[in-house]
């Protein structure tokens, strides 16, 4: 199936308990600090995934409080990157949040995460601030800034 065909047949939905392990396989590849089982369970109602022909290609996790949402994590299976899937997830997520009455989406991102920053910018989020030295890095004693990005829905 070509990339375009794949994207036409994508399905974006809340993650079910049976699908957690599939999403956690992607998480393990993408993040050095995978969430605990209890954190996955806690955020399950606010975890969404993108499927193509029943294959889980990407997921996004939010914290939604009253009329504001924070994007906690988004990840695309590394073998399916740069095909527009991250953008599909962002657009589907923004539509879903808007339909639910959420008024704002915001997030923090490592200043070095150029792929994510570019994805958020192309999805309509703007740079709203910076937290100096917010994140630890792999180098002992070195810290990294967080960029704050957001969009009004
Ligand atoms: C960030 C991430 C979700 C992007 O997913 P993706 O499916 O590859 O993104 P898309 O193909 O939809 O790209 C959309 C746009 O984002 C930008 N972008 C994506 N990856 C990029 C990269 N590696 N370098 C520069 N820009 C990039 C581009 O503007 C791109 O549009 P283009 O391909 O037309 O130029 C993916 O790289 C990922 O899972 N990273 C690891 C997890 C992570 O860091 N998540 C964010 C913090 S929680």
């Amino acid at each position: 199936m070509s990339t375009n065909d794949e994207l036409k047949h994508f399905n974006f939905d809340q993650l079910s308990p049976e699908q957690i392990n599939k999403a956690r396989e992607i998480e393990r590849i993408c993040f050095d600090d995978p969430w605990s089982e209890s954190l996955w369970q806690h955020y399950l109602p606010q975890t969404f995934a993108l499927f193509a022909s029943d294959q889980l290609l990407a997921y996004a996790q939010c914290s939604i409080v009253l009329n504001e949402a924070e994007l906690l994590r988004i990840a695309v299976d590394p073998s399916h990157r740069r095909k527009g899937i991250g953008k599909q997830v962002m657009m589907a997520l923004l539509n879903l949040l808007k339909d639910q009455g959420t008024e704002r989406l915001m997030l923090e991102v490592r200043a070095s995460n150029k792929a994510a920053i570019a994805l958020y910018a192309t999805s309509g989020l703007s740079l709203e601030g910076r937290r100096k030295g917010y994140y630890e890095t792999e180098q002992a004693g070195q810290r990294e800034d967080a960029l704050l990005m957001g969009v009004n829905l």
Side-chain angles (χ1 to χ4, degrees), residues 47-84:
T47 299
F48 306 93
L50 185 138
F51 303 86
S53 309
D54 287 340
Q55 191 188 354
L56 198 159
L57 300 182
Y59 73 89
Q61 290 163 312
C62 296
S63 166
I64 305 169
V65 179
L66 300 176
N67 57 350
E68 287 194 341
E70 183 179 358
L71 179 60
L72 301 175
R73 283 197 161 169
I74 178 170
V76 174
D77 181 331
S79 57
H80 291 278
R81 290 195 188 151
R82 296 309 293 262
K83 294 179 176 180

Side-chain angles (χ1 to χ4, degrees), residues 55 88 93:
Q55 191 188 354
Q88 292 278 348
L93 182 65

Side-chain angles (χ1 to χ4, degrees), residues 10-11 14 60 76-77 94 100 103 105 107 115 121 123-124 128-129 135 140 143-144 148 153:
F10 86 90
N11 181 29
Q14 193 179 319
V76 174
D77 181 331
L94 291 169
Q100 287 182 355
E103 291 172 14
L105 175 70
L107 58 86
S123 304
E128 296 180 342
Y135 291 112
R143 301 193 65 86
E144 177 177 8
L148 310 182
L153 304 172

Side-chain angles (χ1 to χ4, degrees), residues 80-98:
H80 291 278
R81 290 195 188 151
R82 296 309 293 262
K83 294 179 176 180
I85 289 173
K87 179 90 181 272
Q88 292 278 348
V89 171
M90 285 301 298
M91 299 326 284
L93 182 65
L94 291 169
N95 283 332
L96 183 146
L97 292 171
K98 197 172 168 183

Side-chain angles (χ1 to χ4, degrees), residues 119-138:
L119 169 64
Y120 301 146
T122 190
S123 304
L125 281 79
S126 305
L127 181 62
E128 296 180 342
R130 177 182 282 263
R131 288 205 177 106
K132 279 260 169 223
Y134 184 72
Y135 291 112
E136 287 180 355
T137 68
E138 282 175 4

